[in-house]
Amino acid sequence: MGSSVKLRTGASIPAIGLGVFLAKSGKETYNAVLNSLKVGYRHIDTARMYGNETDVGKAIKASGLSRDQVFVTSKLYDVDWGYEAATSAINQSLNSLDTDYIDLMLMHHPGNRQGRKETWQALEAAHKKVLVSFLVACRNKQLRVHSTCCDHAGAGQPSVWVCRVSAKLLV
């Protein structure tokens, strides 16, 4: 599980991680994260919308690993778009995860243009306060990447573009 991908910023992101999208909050998420960390996973992918960030944070603390040994990804969904809503959602994620920073914060579904610029500006502000690491990104569930996602906001550009590829597409 030690392989990683080096980003253009010079930072590395673990190549394999545990996603807790379908994990139920409580013991299911806690045990999945804790056991994954015990066997060598170092990247946990969660989101406030999943309702299990608190369990992720507790498991990371219980693992005995220092925070800088675990790469944490979370997401802003379009319901949290706009400067104030995004800022609030980032702070809620930080509180739920019981951490000082999130390594990678994704803008989920950036194809929705309403509030995109303000959301990106909130991510930039969080980055400047080191609440979100220098790794900020946009995510698009389709195979095409929206190159206009953040080009009209501030100076910052995404460090990562994430496209989900479903096995169903390969059949």
Side-chain angles (χ1 to χ4, degrees):
M1 310 265 179
S3 66
S4 61
V5 176
K6 192 167 187 172
L7 305 176
R8 67 180 174 83
T9 62
S12 293
I13 180 172
I16 298 175
L18 174 72
V20 294
F21 167 57
L22 296 177
K24 294 177 185 168
S25 63
K27 287 184 179 182
E28 183 175 320
T29 297
Y30 176 85
N31 289 332
V33 172
L34 184 60
N35 289 325
S36 294
L37 293 171
K38 284 181 181 178
V39 299
Y41 281 77
R42 293 298 180 263
H43 182 181
I44 307 297
D45 181 297
T46 188
R48 197 170 67 82
M49 291 280 289
Y50 302 169
N52 56 19
E53 283 183 329
T54 299
D55 305 309
V56 169
K58 287 178 181 177
I60 291 170
K61 293 244 188 244
S63 73
L65 296 169
S66 63
R67 174 61 185 85
D68 64 347
Q69 292 180 290
V70 182
F71 191 96
V72 177
T73 297
S74 193
K75 299 164 199 73
L76 291 174
Y77 280 81
D78 55 5
V79 296
D80 294 321
W81 282 32
Y83 191 88
E84 294 301 323
T87 299
S88 176
I90 291 166
N91 287 326
Q92 288 175 35
S93 287
L94 289 165
N95 289 333
S96 295
L97 290 162
D98 192 20
T99 187
D100 295 331
Y101 67 97
I102 296 169
D103 296 286
L104 180 64
M105 182 63 81
L106 301 170
M107 282 176 64
H108 212 284
H109 309 293
N112 177 0
R113 292 181 180 264
Q114 185 74 24
R116 185 169 57 197
K117 176 181 177 182
E118 295 80 10
T119 303
W120 188 256
Q121 289 170 335
L123 283 169
E124 288 180 320
H127 165 63
K128 287 176 184 168
K129 294 177 184 175
V130 197
L131 300 176
V132 174
S133 291
F134 48 90
L135 307 173
V136 287
C138 292
R139 178 179 174 142
N140 182 14
K141 289 182 76 173
Q142 287 104 35
L143 289 175
R144 59 192 162 87
V145 173
H146 291 275
S147 62
T148 60
C149 175
C150 307
D151 60 354
H152 60 282
Q157 289 294 313
S159 297
V160 178
W161 289 98
V162 178
C163 289
R164 187 178 85 190
V165 179
S166 171
K168 294 177 187 176
L169 296 173
L170 304 176
V171 179

mmCIF file of all heavy atoms in Angstrom, residues 123-171:
data_model
loop_
_atom_site.group_PDB
_atom_site.id
_atom_site.type_symbol
_atom_site.label_atom_id
_atom_site.label_comp_id
_atom_site.label_asym_id
_atom_site.label_seq_id
_atom_site.Cartn_x
_atom_site.Cartn_y
_atom_site.Cartn_z
ATOM 1 N N LEU A 123 -12.554 27.653 -0.897
ATOM 2 C CA LEU A 123 -11.483 26.659 -0.809
ATOM 3 C C LEU A 123 -10.117 27.339 -0.778
ATOM 4 O O LEU A 123 -9.235 26.949 -0.011
ATOM 5 C CB LEU A 123 -11.555 25.685 -1.989
ATOM 6 C CG LEU A 123 -12.642 24.616 -1.901
ATOM 7 C CD1 LEU A 123 -12.777 23.888 -3.227
ATOM 8 C CD2 LEU A 123 -12.342 23.642 -0.775
ATOM 9 N N GLU A 124 -9.955 28.359 -1.592
ATOM 10 C CA GLU A 124 -8.693 29.110 -1.585
ATOM 11 C C GLU A 124 -8.448 29.757 -0.222
ATOM 12 O O GLU A 124 -7.324 29.736 0.292
ATOM 13 C CB GLU A 124 -8.694 30.169 -2.681
ATOM 14 C CG GLU A 124 -8.564 29.595 -4.073
ATOM 15 C CD GLU A 124 -8.561 30.672 -5.145
ATOM 16 O OE1 GLU A 124 -9.336 31.641 -5.041
ATOM 17 O OE2 GLU A 124 -7.768 30.533 -6.083
ATOM 18 N N ALA A 125 -9.496 30.321 0.369
ATOM 19 C CA ALA A 125 -9.371 30.955 1.686
ATOM 20 C C ALA A 125 -9.012 29.907 2.742
ATOM 21 O O ALA A 125 -8.162 30.158 3.612
ATOM 22 C CB ALA A 125 -10.659 31.679 2.061
ATOM 23 N N ALA A 126 -9.629 28.736 2.667
ATOM 24 C CA ALA A 126 -9.317 27.660 3.613
ATOM 25 C C ALA A 126 -7.877 27.201 3.433
ATOM 26 O O ALA A 126 -7.178 26.907 4.405
ATOM 27 C CB ALA A 126 -10.281 26.497 3.429
ATOM 28 N N HIS A 127 -7.435 27.163 2.199
ATOM 29 C CA HIS A 127 -6.044 26.792 1.913
ATOM 30 C C HIS A 127 -5.072 27.804 2.527
ATOM 31 O O HIS A 127 -4.079 27.429 3.147
ATOM 32 C CB HIS A 127 -5.838 26.701 0.404
ATOM 33 C CG HIS A 127 -4.409 26.677 -0.015
ATOM 34 N ND1 HIS A 127 -3.545 25.665 0.333
ATOM 35 C CD2 HIS A 127 -3.685 27.542 -0.737
ATOM 36 C CE1 HIS A 127 -2.360 25.918 -0.167
ATOM 37 N NE2 HIS A 127 -2.407 27.054 -0.814
ATOM 38 N N LYS A 128 -5.374 29.067 2.394
ATOM 39 C CA LYS A 128 -4.507 30.114 2.955
ATOM 40 C C LYS A 128 -4.434 30.021 4.480
ATOM 41 O O LYS A 128 -3.421 30.352 5.079
ATOM 42 C CB LYS A 128 -4.991 31.491 2.526
ATOM 43 C CG LYS A 128 -4.704 31.781 1.064
ATOM 44 C CD LYS A 128 -5.272 33.099 0.623
ATOM 45 C CE LYS A 128 -5.046 33.283 -0.861
ATOM 46 N NZ LYS A 128 -5.807 34.393 -1.412
ATOM 47 N N LYS A 129 -5.533 29.553 5.105
ATOM 48 C CA LYS A 129 -5.555 29.398 6.561
ATOM 49 C C LYS A 129 -5.012 28.032 6.981
ATOM 50 O O LYS A 129 -5.012 27.704 8.154
ATOM 51 C CB LYS A 129 -6.987 29.539 7.076
ATOM 52 C CG LYS A 129 -7.571 30.919 6.905
ATOM 53 C CD LYS A 129 -9.013 30.927 7.385
ATOM 54 C CE LYS A 129 -9.662 32.265 7.140
ATOM 55 N NZ LYS A 129 -11.092 32.240 7.499
ATOM 56 N N VAL A 130 -4.606 27.231 6.021
ATOM 57 C CA VAL A 130 -4.106 25.874 6.213
ATOM 58 C C VAL A 130 -5.160 24.973 6.872
ATOM 59 O O VAL A 130 -4.842 24.059 7.610
ATOM 60 C CB VAL A 130 -2.755 25.848 6.986
ATOM 61 C CG1 VAL A 130 -2.065 24.503 6.814
ATOM 62 C CG2 VAL A 130 -1.826 26.949 6.518
ATOM 63 N N LEU A 131 -6.413 25.243 6.588
ATOM 64 C CA LEU A 131 -7.491 24.359 7.026
ATOM 65 C C LEU A 131 -7.665 23.236 6.016
ATOM 66 O O LEU A 131 -8.084 22.132 6.353
ATOM 67 C CB LEU A 131 -8.808 25.130 7.152
ATOM 68 C CG LEU A 131 -8.818 26.280 8.142
ATOM 69 C CD1 LEU A 131 -10.148 27.010 8.097
ATOM 70 C CD2 LEU A 131 -8.510 25.794 9.543
ATOM 71 N N VAL A 132 -7.379 23.553 4.773
ATOM 72 C CA VAL A 132 -7.349 22.570 3.695
ATOM 73 C C VAL A 132 -5.943 22.663 3.135
ATOM 74 O O VAL A 132 -5.472 23.750 2.812
ATOM 75 C CB VAL A 132 -8.391 22.888 2.592
ATOM 76 C CG1 VAL A 132 -8.231 21.947 1.415
ATOM 77 C CG2 VAL A 132 -9.801 22.825 3.157
ATOM 78 N N SER A 133 -5.250 21.535 3.029
ATOM 79 C CA SER A 133 -3.888 21.564 2.518
ATOM 80 C C SER A 133 -3.864 22.143 1.117
ATOM 81 O O SER A 133 -4.893 22.365 0.504
ATOM 82 C CB SER A 133 -3.304 20.148 2.492
ATOM 83 O OG SER A 133 -3.113 19.691 3.808
ATOM 84 N N PHE A 134 -2.689 22.356 0.623
ATOM 85 C CA PHE A 134 -2.504 22.924 -0.699
ATOM 86 C C PHE A 134 -3.116 22.051 -1.775
ATOM 87 O O PHE A 134 -3.157 22.422 -2.923
ATOM 88 C CB PHE A 134 -1.017 23.138 -0.977
ATOM 89 C CG PHE A 134 -0.183 21.939 -0.656
ATOM 90 C CD1 PHE A 134 0.063 20.984 -1.608
ATOM 91 C CD2 PHE A 134 0.343 21.761 0.609
ATOM 92 C CE1 PHE A 134 0.809 19.863 -1.312
ATOM 93 C CE2 PHE A 134 1.094 20.642 0.909
ATOM 94 C CZ PHE A 134 1.338 19.688 -0.050
ATOM 95 N N LEU A 135 -3.619 20.899 -1.401
ATOM 96 C CA LEU A 135 -4.222 19.981 -2.355
ATOM 97 C C LEU A 135 -5.718 20.227 -2.424
ATOM 98 O O LEU A 135 -6.476 19.743 -1.605
ATOM 99 C CB LEU A 135 -3.961 18.542 -1.926
ATOM 100 C CG LEU A 135 -2.514 18.201 -1.658
ATOM 101 C CD1 LEU A 135 -2.399 16.804 -1.084
ATOM 102 C CD2 LEU A 135 -1.710 18.322 -2.934
ATOM 103 N N VAL A 136 -6.139 21.013 -3.372
ATOM 104 C CA VAL A 136 -7.562 21.239 -3.582
ATOM 105 C C VAL A 136 -7.889 20.784 -4.982
ATOM 106 O O VAL A 136 -7.037 20.810 -5.861
ATOM 107 C CB VAL A 136 -7.949 22.722 -3.357
ATOM 108 C CG1 VAL A 136 -7.916 23.057 -1.897
ATOM 109 C CG2 VAL A 136 -7.066 23.650 -4.143
ATOM 110 N N ALA A 137 -9.095 20.331 -5.193
ATOM 111 C CA ALA A 137 -9.393 19.710 -6.481
ATOM 112 C C ALA A 137 -10.841 19.868 -6.852
ATOM 113 O O ALA A 137 -11.671 20.242 -6.046
ATOM 114 C CB ALA A 137 -9.053 18.228 -6.425
ATOM 115 N N CYS A 138 -11.124 19.584 -8.070
ATOM 116 C CA CYS A 138 -12.490 19.491 -8.549
ATOM 117 C C CYS A 138 -12.759 18.051 -8.924
ATOM 118 O O CYS A 138 -11.855 17.316 -9.294
ATOM 119 C CB CYS A 138 -12.705 20.382 -9.772
ATOM 120 S SG CYS A 138 -12.608 22.120 -9.395
ATOM 121 N N ARG A 139 -13.975 17.664 -8.837
ATOM 122 C CA ARG A 139 -14.343 16.301 -9.179
ATOM 123 C C ARG A 139 -15.529 16.352 -10.121
ATOM 124 O O ARG A 139 -16.437 17.135 -9.955
ATOM 125 C CB ARG A 139 -14.721 15.528 -7.922
ATOM 126 C CG ARG A 139 -15.157 14.129 -8.255
ATOM 127 C CD ARG A 139 -15.509 13.362 -7.017
ATOM 128 N NE ARG A 139 -16.051 12.093 -7.437
ATOM 129 C CZ ARG A 139 -15.830 10.968 -6.826
ATOM 130 N NH1 ARG A 139 -15.085 10.932 -5.772
ATOM 131 N NH2 ARG A 139 -16.362 9.859 -7.260
ATOM 132 N N ASN A 140 -15.502 15.487 -11.069
ATOM 133 C CA ASN A 140 -16.583 15.392 -12.028
ATOM 134 C C ASN A 140 -16.910 13.928 -12.213
ATOM 135 O O ASN A 140 -16.031 13.126 -12.474
ATOM 136 C CB ASN A 140 -16.156 16.020 -13.358
ATOM 137 C CG ASN A 140 -17.256 15.981 -14.378
ATOM 138 O OD1 ASN A 140 -18.399 15.726 -14.041
ATOM 139 N ND2 ASN A 140 -16.918 16.215 -15.611
ATOM 140 N N LYS A 141 -18.170 13.556 -12.058
ATOM 141 C CA LYS A 141 -18.538 12.156 -12.157
ATOM 142 C C LYS A 141 -18.589 11.658 -13.597
ATOM 143 O O LYS A 141 -18.638 10.473 -13.821
ATOM 144 C CB LYS A 141 -19.881 11.920 -11.462
ATOM 145 C CG LYS A 141 -19.764 12.033 -9.957
ATOM 146 C CD LYS A 141 -21.062 11.747 -9.287
ATOM 147 C CE LYS A 141 -21.321 10.270 -9.294
ATOM 148 N NZ LYS A 141 -22.489 9.878 -8.534
ATOM 149 N N GLN A 142 -18.601 12.546 -14.571
ATOM 150 C CA GLN A 142 -18.565 12.104 -15.950
ATOM 151 C C GLN A 142 -17.120 11.932 -16.396
ATOM 152 O O GLN A 142 -16.209 12.378 -15.724
ATOM 153 C CB GLN A 142 -19.261 13.119 -16.862
ATOM 154 C CG GLN A 142 -20.765 13.107 -16.721
ATOM 155 C CD GLN A 142 -21.253 14.291 -15.923
ATOM 156 O OE1 GLN A 142 -20.685 15.357 -16.011
ATOM 157 N NE2 GLN A 142 -22.280 14.085 -15.145
ATOM 158 N N LEU A 143 -16.927 11.328 -17.538
ATOM 159 C CA LEU A 143 -15.577 11.119 -18.039
ATOM 160 C C LEU A 143 -14.955 12.389 -18.583
ATOM 161 O O LEU A 143 -13.759 12.492 -18.687
ATOM 162 C CB LEU A 143 -15.576 10.031 -19.125
ATOM 163 C CG LEU A 143 -15.818 8.626 -18.597
ATOM 164 C CD1 LEU A 143 -15.925 7.653 -19.764
ATOM 165 C CD2 LEU A 143 -14.701 8.206 -17.673
ATOM 166 N N ARG A 144 -15.758 13.371 -18.933
ATOM 167 C CA ARG A 144 -15.182 14.610 -19.440
ATOM 168 C C ARG A 144 -14.865 15.533 -18.259
ATOM 169 O O ARG A 144 -15.596 15.592 -17.286
ATOM 170 C CB ARG A 144 -16.119 15.300 -20.425
ATOM 171 C CG ARG A 144 -17.455 15.648 -19.847
ATOM 172 C CD ARG A 144 -18.430 16.065 -20.945
ATOM 173 N NE ARG A 144 -19.771 15.976 -20.440
ATOM 174 C CZ ARG A 144 -20.395 16.935 -19.782
ATOM 175 N NH1 ARG A 144 -19.794 18.075 -19.552
ATOM 176 N NH2 ARG A 144 -21.620 16.774 -19.357
ATOM 177 N N VAL A 145 -13.781 16.227 -18.364
ATOM 178 C CA VAL A 145 -13.341 17.140 -17.304
ATOM 179 C C VAL A 145 -13.736 18.551 -17.704
ATOM 180 O O VAL A 145 -13.505 18.978 -18.820
ATOM 181 C CB VAL A 145 -11.816 17.049 -17.104
ATOM 182 C CG1 VAL A 145 -11.341 18.115 -16.146
ATOM 183 C CG2 VAL A 145 -11.446 15.673 -16.607
ATOM 184 N N HIS A 146 -14.323 19.290 -16.784
ATOM 185 C CA HIS A 146 -14.699 20.675 -17.038
ATOM 186 C C HIS A 146 -13.481 21.559 -16.806
ATOM 187 O O HIS A 146 -13.148 21.879 -15.674
ATOM 188 C CB HIS A 146 -15.840 21.108 -16.118
ATOM 189 C CG HIS A 146 -17.132 20.444 -16.427
ATOM 190 N ND1 HIS A 146 -17.991 20.921 -17.374
ATOM 191 C CD2 HIS A 146 -17.697 19.323 -15.941
ATOM 192 C CE1 HIS A 146 -19.046 20.135 -17.442
ATOM 193 N NE2 HIS A 146 -18.884 19.158 -16.582
ATOM 194 N N SER A 147 -12.827 21.955 -17.879
ATOM 195 C CA SER A 147 -11.623 22.771 -17.731
ATOM 196 C C SER A 147 -11.950 24.163 -17.216
ATOM 197 O O SER A 147 -11.090 24.883 -16.756
ATOM 198 C CB SER A 147 -10.882 22.869 -19.061
ATOM 199 O OG SER A 147 -11.698 23.501 -20.015
ATOM 200 N N THR A 148 -13.217 24.536 -17.278
ATOM 201 C CA THR A 148 -13.617 25.860 -16.808
ATOM 202 C C THR A 148 -14.049 25.837 -15.343
ATOM 203 O O THR A 148 -14.559 26.810 -14.848
ATOM 204 C CB THR A 148 -14.778 26.412 -17.651
ATOM 205 O OG1 THR A 148 -15.884 25.513 -17.541
ATOM 206 C CG2 THR A 148 -14.374 26.566 -19.105
ATOM 207 N N CYS A 149 -13.830 24.749 -14.662
ATOM 208 C CA CYS A 149 -14.315 24.615 -13.295
ATOM 209 C C CYS A 149 -13.912 25.787 -12.420
ATOM 210 O O CYS A 149 -14.738 26.359 -11.736
ATOM 211 C CB CYS A 149 -13.804 23.320 -12.688
ATOM 212 S SG CYS A 149 -14.228 23.135 -10.963
ATOM 213 N N CYS A 150 -12.658 26.121 -12.431
ATOM 214 C CA CYS A 150 -12.172 27.122 -11.494
ATOM 215 C C CYS A 150 -11.341 28.201 -12.158
ATOM 216 O O CYS A 150 -10.715 29.001 -11.477
ATOM 217 C CB CYS A 150 -11.345 26.441 -10.408
ATOM 218 S SG CYS A 150 -12.251 25.107 -9.625
ATOM 219 N N ASP A 151 -11.324 28.258 -13.468
ATOM 220 C CA ASP A 151 -10.431 29.181 -14.148
ATOM 221 C C ASP A 151 -10.830 30.637 -13.978
ATOM 222 O O ASP A 151 -10.027 31.531 -14.166
ATOM 223 C CB ASP A 151 -10.300 28.842 -15.631
ATOM 224 C CG ASP A 151 -11.615 28.893 -16.380
ATOM 225 O OD1 ASP A 151 -12.659 29.092 -15.729
ATOM 226 O OD2 ASP A 151 -11.587 28.737 -17.605
ATOM 227 N N HIS A 152 -12.048 30.887 -13.581
ATOM 228 C CA HIS A 152 -12.506 32.270 -13.440
ATOM 229 C C HIS A 152 -12.491 32.749 -11.989
ATOM 230 O O HIS A 152 -12.858 33.856 -11.703
ATOM 231 C CB HIS A 152 -13.915 32.403 -14.010
ATOM 232 C CG HIS A 152 -14.885 31.511 -13.296
ATOM 233 N ND1 HIS A 152 -14.954 30.165 -13.543
ATOM 234 C CD2 HIS A 152 -15.786 31.766 -12.335
ATOM 235 C CE1 HIS A 152 -15.891 29.637 -12.769
ATOM 236 N NE2 HIS A 152 -16.397 30.579 -12.029
ATOM 237 N N ALA A 153 -12.048 31.920 -11.080
ATOM 238 C CA ALA A 153 -12.021 32.305 -9.676
ATOM 239 C C ALA A 153 -10.705 33.009 -9.375
ATOM 240 O O ALA A 153 -10.304 33.896 -10.101
ATOM 241 C CB ALA A 153 -12.206 31.060 -8.802
ATOM 242 N N GLY A 154 -10.029 32.600 -8.335
ATOM 243 C CA GLY A 154 -8.764 33.233 -7.961
ATOM 244 C C GLY A 154 -7.605 32.646 -8.739
ATOM 245 O O GLY A 154 -7.771 32.017 -9.764
ATOM 246 N N ALA A 155 -6.423 32.838 -8.208
ATOM 247 C CA ALA A 155 -5.211 32.409 -8.894
ATOM 248 C C ALA A 155 -4.980 30.902 -8.779
ATOM 249 O O ALA A 155 -4.284 30.331 -9.593
ATOM 250 C CB ALA A 155 -4.005 33.157 -8.330
ATOM 251 N N GLY A 156 -5.536 30.283 -7.753
ATOM 252 C CA GLY A 156 -5.272 28.865 -7.535
ATOM 253 C C GLY A 156 -5.928 27.977 -8.565
ATOM 254 O O GLY A 156 -7.029 28.243 -9.019
ATOM 255 N N GLN A 157 -5.235 26.937 -8.930
ATOM 256 C CA GLN A 157 -5.761 25.941 -9.853
ATOM 257 C C GLN A 157 -5.783 24.597 -9.145
ATOM 258 O O GLN A 157 -4.987 24.355 -8.242
ATOM 259 C CB GLN A 157 -4.895 25.868 -11.112
ATOM 260 C CG GLN A 157 -5.027 27.080 -12.010
ATOM 261 C CD GLN A 157 -6.413 27.203 -12.618
ATOM 262 O OE1 GLN A 157 -6.966 26.240 -13.125
ATOM 263 N NE2 GLN A 157 -6.998 28.381 -12.531
ATOM 264 N N PRO A 158 -6.671 23.719 -9.550
ATOM 265 C CA PRO A 158 -6.728 22.399 -8.914
ATOM 266 C C PRO A 158 -5.406 21.655 -9.056
ATOM 267 O O PRO A 158 -4.761 21.726 -10.089
ATOM 268 C CB PRO A 158 -7.834 21.676 -9.688
ATOM 269 C CG PRO A 158 -8.658 22.766 -10.275
ATOM 270 C CD PRO A 158 -7.703 23.883 -10.562
ATOM 271 N N SER A 159 -5.031 20.942 -8.014
ATOM 272 C CA SER A 159 -3.842 20.104 -8.063
ATOM 273 C C SER A 159 -4.167 18.750 -8.654
ATOM 274 O O SER A 159 -3.290 18.054 -9.126
ATOM 275 C CB SER A 159 -3.290 19.890 -6.648
ATOM 276 O OG SER A 159 -2.888 21.115 -6.098
ATOM 277 N N VAL A 160 -5.420 18.358 -8.588
ATOM 278 C CA VAL A 160 -5.856 17.037 -9.029
ATOM 279 C C VAL A 160 -7.192 17.189 -9.736
ATOM 280 O O VAL A 160 -8.052 17.943 -9.289
ATOM 281 C CB VAL A 160 -6.062 16.088 -7.817
ATOM 282 C CG1 VAL A 160 -6.565 14.731 -8.263
ATOM 283 C CG2 VAL A 160 -4.805 15.962 -6.995
ATOM 284 N N TRP A 161 -7.366 16.473 -10.814
ATOM 285 C CA TRP A 161 -8.679 16.306 -11.434
ATOM 286 C C TRP A 161 -9.061 14.860 -11.223
ATOM 287 O O TRP A 161 -8.286 13.956 -11.558
ATOM 288 C CB TRP A 161 -8.648 16.611 -12.927
ATOM 289 C CG TRP A 161 -8.480 18.054 -13.230
ATOM 290 C CD1 TRP A 161 -7.311 18.686 -13.544
ATOM 291 C CD2 TRP A 161 -9.488 19.051 -13.243
ATOM 292 N NE1 TRP A 161 -7.544 20.019 -13.738
ATOM 293 C CE2 TRP A 161 -8.866 20.270 -13.569
ATOM 294 C CE3 TRP A 161 -10.863 19.044 -12.999
ATOM 295 C CZ2 TRP A 161 -9.561 21.468 -13.671
ATOM 296 C CZ3 TRP A 161 -11.555 20.234 -13.105
ATOM 297 C CH2 TRP A 161 -10.919 21.428 -13.428
ATOM 298 N N VAL A 162 -10.218 14.603 -10.661
ATOM 299 C CA VAL A 162 -10.635 13.239 -10.383
ATOM 300 C C VAL A 162 -11.837 12.916 -11.255
ATOM 301 O O VAL A 162 -12.830 13.630 -11.250
ATOM 302 C CB VAL A 162 -11.038 13.066 -8.896
ATOM 303 C CG1 VAL A 162 -11.504 11.652 -8.634
ATOM 304 C CG2 VAL A 162 -9.881 13.440 -7.997
ATOM 305 N N CYS A 163 -11.732 11.837 -11.980
ATOM 306 C CA CYS A 163 -12.866 11.327 -12.751
ATOM 307 C C CYS A 163 -13.133 9.915 -12.283
ATOM 308 O O CYS A 163 -12.226 9.094 -12.234
ATOM 309 C CB CYS A 163 -12.573 11.322 -14.244
ATOM 310 S SG CYS A 163 -12.509 12.948 -14.961
ATOM 311 N N ARG A 164 -14.349 9.639 -11.932
ATOM 312 C CA ARG A 164 -14.715 8.297 -11.510
ATOM 313 C C ARG A 164 -15.029 7.471 -12.731
ATOM 314 O O ARG A 164 -15.830 7.872 -13.576
ATOM 315 C CB ARG A 164 -15.925 8.339 -10.578
ATOM 316 C CG ARG A 164 -16.236 6.979 -9.992
ATOM 317 C CD ARG A 164 -17.383 7.065 -9.044
ATOM 318 N NE ARG A 164 -18.605 6.960 -9.810
ATOM 319 C CZ ARG A 164 -19.805 7.187 -9.316
ATOM 320 N NH1 ARG A 164 -19.941 7.573 -8.083
ATOM 321 N NH2 ARG A 164 -20.861 7.057 -10.058
ATOM 322 N N VAL A 165 -14.422 6.329 -12.832
ATOM 323 C CA VAL A 165 -14.700 5.412 -13.930
ATOM 324 C C VAL A 165 -15.385 4.192 -13.342
ATOM 325 O O VAL A 165 -14.847 3.530 -12.467
ATOM 326 C CB VAL A 165 -13.398 5.011 -14.661
ATOM 327 C CG1 VAL A 165 -13.721 4.036 -15.771
ATOM 328 C CG2 VAL A 165 -12.695 6.233 -15.188
ATOM 329 N N SER A 166 -16.568 3.928 -13.805
ATOM 330 C CA SER A 166 -17.327 2.802 -13.310
ATOM 331 C C SER A 166 -16.982 1.562 -14.134
ATOM 332 O O SER A 166 -16.813 1.621 -15.346
ATOM 333 C CB SER A 166 -18.829 3.101 -13.431
ATOM 334 O OG SER A 166 -19.571 1.937 -13.134
ATOM 335 N N ALA A 167 -16.933 0.417 -13.443
ATOM 336 C CA ALA A 167 -16.660 -0.834 -14.151
ATOM 337 C C ALA A 167 -17.738 -1.109 -15.207
ATOM 338 O O ALA A 167 -17.493 -1.755 -16.208
ATOM 339 C CB ALA A 167 -16.597 -1.983 -13.162
ATOM 340 N N LYS A 168 -18.933 -0.586 -14.987
ATOM 341 C CA LYS A 168 -20.015 -0.767 -15.951
ATOM 342 C C LYS A 168 -19.662 -0.155 -17.300
ATOM 343 O O LYS A 168 -20.114 -0.622 -18.325
ATOM 344 C CB LYS A 168 -21.305 -0.136 -15.424
ATOM 345 C CG LYS A 168 -21.857 -0.812 -14.199
ATOM 346 C CD LYS A 168 -23.091 -0.079 -13.709
ATOM 347 C CE LYS A 168 -23.535 -0.649 -12.391
ATOM 348 N NZ LYS A 168 -24.664 0.112 -11.845
ATOM 349 N N LEU A 169 -18.845 0.884 -17.289
ATOM 350 C CA LEU A 169 -18.453 1.541 -18.543
ATOM 351 C C LEU A 169 -17.501 0.665 -19.347
ATOM 352 O O LEU A 169 -17.351 0.862 -20.542
ATOM 353 C CB LEU A 169 -17.778 2.876 -18.258
ATOM 354 C CG LEU A 169 -18.647 3.938 -17.585
ATOM 355 C CD1 LEU A 169 -17.791 5.141 -17.221
ATOM 356 C CD2 LEU A 169 -19.779 4.364 -18.517
ATOM 357 N N LEU A 170 -16.843 -0.266 -18.693
ATOM 358 C CA LEU A 170 -15.852 -1.082 -19.355
ATOM 359 C C LEU A 170 -16.438 -2.329 -19.986
ATOM 360 O O LEU A 170 -15.762 -3.040 -20.709
ATOM 361 C CB LEU A 170 -14.749 -1.473 -18.353
ATOM 362 C CG LEU A 170 -14.059 -0.294 -17.667
ATOM 363 C CD1 LEU A 170 -13.074 -0.806 -16.637
ATOM 364 C CD2 LEU A 170 -13.356 0.583 -18.694
ATOM 365 N N VAL A 171 -17.685 -2.614 -19.710
ATOM 366 C CA VAL A 171 -18.329 -3.832 -20.227
ATOM 367 C C VAL A 171 -18.848 -3.610 -21.626
ATOM 368 O O VAL A 171 -19.304 -2.608 -22.015
ATOM 369 C CB VAL A 171 -19.468 -4.266 -19.279
ATOM 370 C CG1 VAL A 171 -20.162 -5.500 -19.816
ATOM 371 C CG2 VAL A 171 -18.928 -4.527 -17.909
#
